Amino acid sequence: MKFDKELFKGTVLNNIKTLYRRTLEEATEQQIFQAVSYAIKDVVVDNWMATQKEYEKKDPKIVYYMSMEFLMGRALGNNLINLRAYKEVAEALDELGVDLNLVEDQEPDPALGNGGLGRLAACFLDSLATLNYAAYGCGIRYRYGMFRQEIRDGYQVEVPDNWLADGYPFELRRPEYAKEVKFGGWVSSYVDENGRTIFKQEGYQSVQAVPYDMPIVGYGNGIVNTLRIWDAQPVECFSLDSFDKGDYQKAVEQENLARNIVEVLYPNDNHYAGKELRLKQQYFFISASVQEAVDKYMRTHTDLHKFHEKVAFQLNDTHPTVAVAELMRVLMDDHDLSWDEAWEITCKTCAYTNHTIMSEALEKWPIELFSRLLPRIYQIVEEINRRFVLRIQQMYPGNQEKIRKMAIIYDGQVKMAHLAIVGGHSVNGVARLHTEILEKQELRDFYEMMPEKFNNKTNGITQRRFLLHANPLLADWVTDHVGDEWITDLPALSRLRIYADDEKAQQEFMNIKYQNKVRLAKYIREHNGIEVDPRSIFDVQVKRLHEYKRQLMNILHIMYLYNELKDHPDMDFYPRTFIFGAKAAAGYRNAKLTIKLINSVADVINNDPVVDGRIKVVFIENYRVSNAEWIFAAADVSEQISTASKEASGTGNMKFMLNGALTLGTMDGANVEIVEEVGKKNAFIFGLSAEQVIQYENYGGYNPMDIFNNDQDIRRVLMQLINGTYSPQDPELFRPLYNSLLNTQDTAKADTYFILADFKSYAEAQRRVEAAYKDEKNWAKSALLNVACAGKFSSDRTIEEYERDIWHQEKVILPSKPELSK
Ligand code: 475
């Protein structure tokens, strides 16, 4: 069906009328956004219904991607892209005198996630729909998503993100699928007439889980899958005429439980907070999702023994791991299966993805809390643990050490990773190096006991959002040269290789990069009031702020460069714009102080006449999916400088590569595979290897003080942290950062992320960057090769690997051509 421009324009105008009783001229930008979105939703819903009808007919296996986080980013532009209607709609709106870009900018950026893990979930949903697989994302409808970051006086200030304030047009409330979720109380048991033990949770409080569905539009194939996020409501409005004091008390508590549970996303990335409310959130959305998956299956099937043939649960890290016990509970308590039957089905249904080896991220719940909140679930976990410990004893007789290290419940704690590994059939890491470290180090005992479960799935990103939508100039240029297959087959980009040496292509590419830099420079001028030169090298580090990601090393190096410029004002120096974007967890002191340091250094350097604009430092406020798209498109250098072994994969690294930035990085995470694809010549690699880092960690031998004492450049920079150079009113301000590098009391705790060890090697790599950029043709060639070699890093490839090794779904092809598609 062809896009009917006039019909679309009419719908928009009519929506403005019926929603707001206004004309287009009278409508606010937000109202126009709503009206346009409802016009698009109208089309999406038709495809959505057609897809779900076909799923009912074909009865394919369904994947439930269970995740505490979905960092979706804005939907309007992405939906238009995937409907293949972006240009037509832009044109139609233009005829109405409306700029689609401004309309898009009215959408709140749904930020129901922190960083990498949440954005990966969003990319996976896009790929699943595009590749014709039936899938649900299952998550939480947080009232407040990731906080909005404001920078005041150089400090991060967290402002609540009320993303639902104006109503979100792309969600649909589905009260007919509401579920009850029970917390607390106790478990009573009795033996029924058939001699079976029946377990009943009593004296509990419950919450009503009400789902909201968001459409996930596949690219050009008519498929629309569902992101189902759960809201919490009180079970019943309590009656004020209740004279029973106990009831009244309970009613108030239930009301509060419901009010609190989905209130806010925990803003911690790669970190376990251990809060009771967090466990409530986990069980809340998992219980609702598992109940619905079983109910849905039972609507069209009778034999639960074949559940796993039609359903897969993918657990996005350990946060959803209570799913193992909850599925056991539903199968046994609600559907009368025996332990052994339920266990077989559960293991065949569940699979676990690990996203980090940072030890502070490991989820370990105190037994007291876990059993109080989830008494029946705890019983089941105890029994899983009892049986697993027996298996350990059979395999390693008399080996107490194995039990201590591997048991699910030990030392007063419930270890969620162990439960996820034991209760599923697959364990995967997210890049080759990361999976190797899991097998050899972190999960070694489990790997030795059950090697068949372990596999790698190197992450990927969706090129629909991160090239087609983010960088229309480059996307069009690529399509002009090699056709548009890359949109659904990213390896087709390799056809660009033949243009790498073509001077005209190089020039065109650099020109596009320049225009994207102009676009970002304008954004920076408007948002930061800083003037940056689009001819300078745009050197970018955008990601969550974490010590292991080493933003501190980046800014220390900038301080070092500044010292060099002060000492040799006439030195040869290619102008550089250093761009940072990062949110810090609200309670993470050193992370927040690093933000302050970056802004303080920026203040000094940006305003020093000696520098004369040759270095600019910019901290982009409120880094999020929507501004990320512009930033990737404009980057020359991609900073991927984590301590080797610490970054499980990284996915920003792939977004930069796809947009033709060169990686400056360590041999960590997926950087290893990026360099493998593009060649060492087209990246700047430095620093300790993962093996060397692990060697130091396991056997010691690293002393940052030696480096401090022997290297005057480093010493000078570190002293500037504590002598007031960047904080004259309070010279002690940055002392904690200094101490984190040189903690004099306990050398084992000094510089745990090896910043000083890697500093010189990093500075040397930065010199190579500068030299390379001066050779413009060669730079253009390398940048083009980065684009050409990015094919592996599509989330389409990742999803097909999950399909091949874990999910084994069949594709569903719709019978008729989708609405709005050519
Ligand atoms: C890795 N988040 C990246 C990315 O696989 C990797 C959220 C809540 C609580 C604790 N942790 C989190 C993460 O652990 C996380 O985002 N991990 C990231 O997953 C996708 O590319 O290297 O750091």
Side-chain angles (χ1 to χ4, degrees):
M1 187 178 140
K2 199 90 183 78
F3 175 64
D4 187 334
K5 203 194 276 179
E6 293 310 316
L7 180 70
F8 173 77
K9 281 156 60 178
T11 310
V12 170
L13 295 177
N14 198 56
N15 285 350
I16 294 177
K17 187 183 82 184
T18 54
L19 286 169
Y20 305 109
R21 210 204 70 177
R22 286 194 175 173
T23 64
L24 177 63
E25 292 68 36
E26 296 163 346
T28 64
E29 288 191 325
Q30 173 64 211
Q31 289 170 337
I32 296 173
F33 157 71
Q34 296 275 348
V36 170
S37 296
Y38 275 103
I40 299 306
K41 187 181 187 182
D42 195 37
V43 180
V44 169
V45 170
D46 283 336
N47 293 344
W48 207 355
M49 289 178 2
T51 300
Q52 300 307 317
K53 207 166 129 198
E54 194 62 14
Y55 287 169
E56 271 162 40
K57 201 166 116 200
K58 296 266 173 67
D59 190 28
K61 185 173 183 180
I62 300 174
V63 160
Y64 292 85
Y65 197 82
M66 310 238 175
S67 180
M68 289 287 277
E69 306 188 8
F70 288 90
L71 227 185
M72 300 302 291
R74 289 173 176 160
L76 176 58
N78 200 248
N79 287 341
L80 292 176
I81 289 278
N82 284 6
L83 289 166
R84 297 212 267 170
Y86 192 90
K87 282 179 182 161
E88 287 90 335
V89 167
E91 229 175 74
L93 290 176
D94 190 57
E95 290 174 14
L96 292 174
V98 172
D99 180 345
L100 175 55
N101 283 313
L102 296 182
V103 176
E104 281 184 65
D105 212 31
Q106 284 296 315
E107 182 175 344
D109 196 329
L112 309 184
N114 273 285
L117 169 147
R119 182 55 231 177
L120 186 76
C123 284
F124 280 4
L125 294 184
D126 182 85
S127 287
L128 280 160
T130 296
L131 296 169
N132 295 75
Y133 295 114
Y136 282 88
C138 302
I140 296 174
R141 184 174 178 269
Y142 300 105
R143 280 265 287 123
Y144 295 91
M146 189 61 206
F147 61 78
R148 194 175 82 235
Q149 177 192 56
E150 284 182 8
I151 301 297
R152 296 191 203 146
D153 186 29
Y155 289 98
Q156 165 176 298
V157 175
E158 302 92 24
V159 181
D161 159 52
N162 189 5
W163 70 290
L164 292 166
D166 295 309
Y168 192 65
F170 292 104
E171 66 173 9
L172 215 67
R173 189 177 139 93
R174 310 299 302 278
E176 65 272 34
Y177 296 113
K179 298 280 179 288
E180 185 184 7
V181 179
K182 300 174 180 175
F183 293 95
W186 60 91
V187 180
S188 66
S189 59
Y190 63 95
V191 178
D192 75 358
E193 60 274 20
N194 304 316
R196 290 183 84 115
T197 310
I198 305 295
F199 297 90
K200 258 192 95 183
Q201 190 171 347
E202 294 183 282
Y204 54 84
Q205 288 176 4
S206 52
V207 184
Q208 192 78 358
V210 181
Y212 284 69
D213 287 354
M214 293 213 215
I216 307 294
V217 178
Y219 182 81
N221 62 354
I223 294 284
V224 181
N225 283 335
T226 304
L227 168 59
R228 175 159 284 178
I229 50 180
W230 299 88
D231 184 25
Q233 289 194 350
V235 169
E236 286 160 9
C237 284
F238 59 89
S239 46
L240 285 170
D241 59 359
S242 167
F243 288 104
D244 184 326
K245 213 171 162 213
D247 267 355
Y248 184 80
Q249 189 59 31
K250 188 176 160 190
V252 174
E253 281 168 12
Q254 289 200 147
E255 170 116 8
N256 282 334
L257 179 65
R259 222 193 282 290
N260 292 332
I261 216 160
V262 298
E263 192 64 10
V264 63
L265 165 78
Y266 279 90
N268 304 313
D269 187 84
N270 272 286
H271 187 83
Y272 163 69
K275 291 283 191 289
E276 175 162 345
L277 183 59
R278 170 85 172 179
L279 183 58
K280 283 184 190 164
Q281 290 183 335
Q282 295 183 349
Y283 184 67
F284 167 73
F285 94 99
I286 286 301
S287 178
S289 303
V290 169
Q291 288 182 56
E292 174 51 25
V294 173
D295 286 356
K296 183 176 172 66
Y297 175 87
M298 289 307 282
R299 274 176 230 135
T300 49
H301 305 83
T302 46
D303 186 4
L304 267 172
H305 296 90
K306 292 185 175 175
F307 184 72
H308 57 276
E309 292 177 11
K310 291 292 176 189
V311 175
F313 290 166
Q314 191 67 34
L315 311 180
N316 201 21
D317 215 289
T318 57
H319 324 142
T321 296
V322 283
V324 169
E326 177 66 2
L327 182 56
M328 288 294 289
R329 183 190 71 76
V330 171
L331 294 176
M332 294 189 302
D333 296 2
D334 298 350
H335 294 274
D336 292 331
L337 265 61
S338 70
W339 180 277
D340 290 328
E341 292 170 316
W343 183 244
E344 190 183 335
I345 296 162
T346 298
C347 290
K348 287 178 171 169
T349 301
C350 297
Y352 156 59
T353 304
N354 175 289
H355 292 269
T356 177
I357 61 160
M358 301 298 294
S359 56
E360 68 259 37
L362 280 181
E363 289 193 299
K364 297 175 280 193
W365 295 106
I367 288 178
E368 181 281 318
L369 165 61
F370 196 97
S371 60
R372 171 165 52 80
L373 209 62
L374 312 171
R376 177 63 183 137
I377 292 300
Y378 181 68
Q379 271 187 344
I380 292 169
V381 175
E382 266 191 317
E383 179 62 12
I384 295 173
N385 181 56
R386 192 185 65 80
R387 289 170 184 241
F388 179 56
V389 169
L390 285 177
R391 260 173 70 200
I392 301 173
Q393 286 167 333
Q394 262 165 28
M395 210 158 162
Y396 308 101
N399 191 339
Q400 269 304 116
E401 184 67 1
K402 285 280 180 190
I403 295 173
R404 183 184 67 79
K405 288 195 290 183
M406 297 176 78
I408 298 165
I409 302 176
Y410 201 88
D411 212 12
Q413 293 172 321
V414 184
K415 300 183 177 174
M416 301 310 271
H418 299 190
L419 179 58
I421 297 167
V422 173
H425 63 282
S426 167
V427 179
N428 76 278
V430 290
R432 193 205 303 136
L433 175 67
H434 169 58
T435 301
E436 279 169 16
I437 293 171
L438 290 178
E439 291 173 355
K440 292 196 194 122
Q441 297 271 327
E442 309 303 309
L443 301 177
R444 182 177 175 161
D445 295 302
F446 290 94
Y447 179 62
E448 284 174 359
M449 189 174 184
M450 32 196 146
E452 70 288 347
K453 286 189 185 181
F454 284 72
N455 62 96
N456 174 246
K457 296 285 166 283
T458 297
N459 283 164
I461 57 164
T462 170
Q463 65 268 32
R464 269 85 59 189
R465 182 180 287 272
F466 291 105
L467 183 53
L468 190 52
H469 184 260
N471 194 345
L473 296 177
L474 185 58
D476 283 346
W477 184 86
V478 170
T479 297
D480 286 345
H481 285 77
V482 298
D484 66 2
E485 282 83 5
W486 62 271
I487 298 170
T488 50
D489 178 21
L490 201 60
L493 286 179
S494 69
R495 295 180 205 144
L496 282 172
R497 263 174 233 251
I498 54 166
Y499 293 101
D501 281 305
D502 179 331
E503 285 200 16
K504 179 165 168 278
Q506 291 173 356
Q507 266 173 23
E508 288 168 355
F509 175 86
M510 290 306 271
N511 186 265
I512 287 169
K513 184 60 84 182
Y514 181 79
Q515 292 185 55
N516 287 325
K517 288 161 82 172
V518 170
R519 178 173 75 164
L520 183 61
K522 179 163 173 272
Y523 180 93
I524 290 171
R525 186 183 316 120
E526 284 165 6
H527 291 79
N528 295 60
I530 299 177
E531 204 59 55
V532 302
D533 183 354
R535 286 164 308 183
S536 64
I537 303 172
F538 277 22
D539 178 315
V540 187
Q541 186 173 20
V542 286
K543 50 181 80 246
R544 283 302 290 261
L545 215 144
H546 205 297
E547 284 166 291
Y548 85 79
K549 296 177 190 281
R550 300 200 291 193
Q551 283 94 348
L552 179 58
M553 184 167 76
N554 188 344
I555 194 68
L556 290 174
H557 172 259
I558 295 169
M559 290 159 61
Y560 157 75
L561 280 185
Y562 177 52
N563 289 339
E564 293 285 288
L565 262 188
K566 295 272 278 192
D567 291 353
H568 318 282
D570 299 322
M571 74 190 273
D572 199 18
F573 190 94
Y574 201 97
R576 213 62 87 122
T577 302
F578 291 97
I579 297 170
F580 292 84
K583 290 182 183 177
Y588 192 167
R589 186 193 61 171
N590 280 358
K592 295 181 99 170
L593 198 52
T594 303
I595 291 176
K596 173 65 177 168
L597 176 63
I598 293 168
N599 285 313
S600 301
V601 172
D603 273 349
V604 171
I605 295 184
N606 293 347
N607 299 307
D608 186 335
V610 172
V611 175
D612 192 23
R614 287 176 291 176
I615 305 177
K616 281 277 165 82
V617 181
V618 176
F619 188 93
I620 293 186
E621 201 175 25
N622 200 28
Y623 172 62
R624 60 195 188 282
V625 177
S626 52
N627 59 20
E629 293 182 26
W630 289 32
I631 296 170
F632 293 126
D636 295 309
V637 179
S638 158
E639 297 259 4
Q640 307 300 335
I641 59 178
S642 54
T643 312
S645 80
K646 301 299 179 200
E647 190 70 273
S649 162
T651 46
N653 46 4
M654 302 167 185
K655 295 162 197 171
F656 281 109
M657 181 193 198
L658 183 62
N659 283 277
L662 276 61
T663 303
L664 165 57
T666 49
M667 276 300 206
D668 198 16
N671 297 354
V672 176
E673 292 162 73
I674 285 177
V675 173
E676 189 172 287
E677 293 298 303
V678 75
K680 264 205 140 113
K681 273 182 19 206
N682 302 304
F684 307 93
I685 299 304
F686 71 93
L688 294 172
S689 68
E691 222 172 329
Q692 289 171 316
V693 169
I694 292 169
Q695 177 85 14
Y696 275 135
E697 287 176 339
N698 291 346
Y699 305 103
Y702 174 55
N703 187 358
M705 196 47 102
D706 291 343
I707 300 174
F708 179 83
N709 288 330
N710 292 310
D711 187 312
Q712 54 175 347
D713 293 331
I714 290 179
R715 194 164 58 246
R716 182 170 170 199
V717 165
L718 292 197
M719 291 314 289
Q720 289 171 335
L721 284 178
I722 51 170
N723 69 9
T725 304
Y726 295 101
S727 174
Q729 304 84 353
D730 179 8
E732 288 295 304
L733 181 63
F734 299 117
R735 172 79 66 179
L737 297 178
Y738 175 91
N739 283 345
S740 76
L741 299 170
L742 289 170
N743 190 324
T744 37
Q745 279 84 44
D746 184 355
T747 44
K749 282 197 187 131
D751 194 15
T752 38
Y753 296 107
F754 301 92
I755 287 177
L756 302 197
D758 277 351
F759 190 90
K760 280 280 138 148
S761 162
Y762 177 55
E764 188 269 329
Q766 283 283 22
R767 279 191 284 276
R768 281 187 276 143
V769 169
E770 177 172 335
Y773 198 84
K774 285 178 182 165
D775 178 353
E776 192 178 312
K777 283 180 195 156
N778 237 317
W779 184 276
K781 176 180 174 181
S782 281
L784 263 174
L785 283 173
N786 268 276
V787 181
C789 297
K792 174 175 174 183
F793 303 105
S794 171
S795 45
D796 298 343
R797 187 265 315 146
T798 313
I799 288 298
E800 291 293 17
E801 290 180 9
Y802 276 91
E803 293 294 347
R804 184 192 65 204
D805 299 340
I806 306 174
W807 302 334
H808 312 294
Q809 288 182 279
E810 58 272 32
K811 289 183 191 263
V812 177
I813 310 297
L814 297 184
S816 64
K817 280 274 163 202
E819 296 270 337
L820 261 182
S821 254
K822 286 173 241 165

